[in-house]
Amino acid sequence: MSRIVRQPIAVCRWQADDPVAFVHRGEVHTIVEILDRWVEMGDWWQGEGERKLLCVWTDHNALFELECTKQSWFVYKVWD
């Protein structure tokens, strides 16, 4: 089961263009594995461009979908 939350996060470590660790709800999550990555087109009629999405597994045994739009990162979806 998943829920869309679209909460902003602070990326605290990088490797190339991918986040390695981020802060969500006051906790630092280190990405153990990037399970999938893809690009989607936003609502072009509202001036949105592409958005980058990553499905990641973290050291807290949590599964997240992260979203990057215009250089801002968000937790897009949390899987329970």
Side-chain angles (χ1 to χ4, degrees):
M1 186 167 156
S2 66
R3 56 194 154 89
I4 295 174
V5 294
R6 198 145 200 292
Q7 297 172 334
I9 56 172
V11 175
C12 48
R13 286 197 320 245
W14 297 90
Q15 182 175 4
D17 289 336
D18 292 330
V20 174
F22 61 93
V23 179
H24 179 249
R25 295 186 174 177
E27 293 186 45
V28 176
H29 291 262
T30 300
I31 297 172
V32 175
E33 185 175 358
I34 297 175
L35 302 169
D36 200 3
R37 65 178 73 231
W38 65 99
V39 175
E40 293 181 355
M41 186 61 189
D43 296 336
W44 57 267
W45 58 91
Q46 294 182 6
E48 294 179 5
E50 290 184 341
R51 58 190 191 138
K52 175 181 177 179
L53 291 118
L54 302 175
C55 182
V56 300
W57 184 255
T58 72
D59 61 339
H60 290 264
N61 291 322
L63 184 62
F64 293 97
E65 285 184 20
L66 305 181
E67 171 189 35
C68 180
T69 58
K70 298 180 183 176
Q71 304 300 326
S72 297
W73 283 89
F74 300 87
V75 168
Y76 176 69
K77 190 182 288 186
V78 178
W79 291 85
D80 296 326

